[in-house]
Amino acid sequence: MVRTRVNLSLIESITERKASYKKRQKGYLKKAQELSTLCDVETVTVVYSPYHDEPKVFPNHDAVINTFTKFRELSELEQSKNRVTLEDFIEKRIKKLGGSTVEGEEAVQGEGVHKKDV
């Protein structure tokens, strides 16, 4: 059975949107649990929704508080060591596709992909 490509646009029907949200949230939380189990990493998620008064947290409230507290206690350098700005990401992507920024832009545009699409 082949999956069809999903059109990423707002679902107009409120009931369909709510149903889709519920299914996707369940899948997202399952993936977070799998990541935690398979890779032995500390994983927490907080999902705010217009459909619930309280945010949905995984695995539980205490674990989320402890993880955010640990993160806040890290130095600024340790907190930001894996952060990437949009500009950095685009530059790395262009270089990966074909050289320096100027040459990369021409190479990307020559492939039918425009800079705004990268």
Side-chain angles (χ1 to χ4, degrees):
M1 185 169 161
V2 178
R3 291 187 183 189
T4 59
R5 189 174 189 115
V6 177
N7 182 13
L8 294 179
S9 62
L10 180 66
I11 300 171
E12 297 296 328
S13 169
I14 294 172
T15 55
E16 288 179 16
R17 187 180 323 145
K18 216 176 204 183
S20 178
Y21 169 80
K22 193 173 184 177
K23 285 187 243 177
R24 288 174 180 270
Q25 180 186 25
K26 183 179 177 183
Y28 174 72
L29 294 175
K30 182 178 179 183
K31 290 292 183 187
Q33 182 180 17
E34 290 172 359
L35 179 65
S36 177
T37 302
L38 295 173
C39 300
D40 193 29
V41 294
E42 189 174 336
T43 307
V44 297
T45 61
V46 180
V47 181
Y48 289 93
S49 163
Y51 309 117
H52 303 290
D53 295 334
E54 300 267 330
K56 180 75 175 173
V57 294
F58 168 81
N60 59 48
H61 182 73
D62 292 334
V64 171
I65 297 297
N66 289 339
T67 301
F68 282 120
T69 302
K70 283 183 203 176
F71 179 74
R72 295 296 298 182
E73 290 173 351
L74 294 174
S75 69
E76 186 66 32
L77 179 63
E78 290 174 323
Q79 285 183 17
S80 64
K81 71 179 179 182
N82 291 326
R83 288 186 197 160
V84 177
T85 64
L86 180 60
E87 291 80 16
D88 292 339
F89 174 78
I90 291 173
E91 277 185 30
K92 287 178 184 177
R93 183 76 176 144
I94 289 172
K95 286 179 182 177
K96 182 178 178 182
L97 291 174
S100 69
T101 305
V102 174
E103 293 169 4
E105 289 175 13
E106 292 170 359
V108 169
Q109 289 175 355
E111 294 174 5
V113 178
H114 301 287
K115 182 179 177 186
K116 64 182 179 185
D117 295 334
V118 174

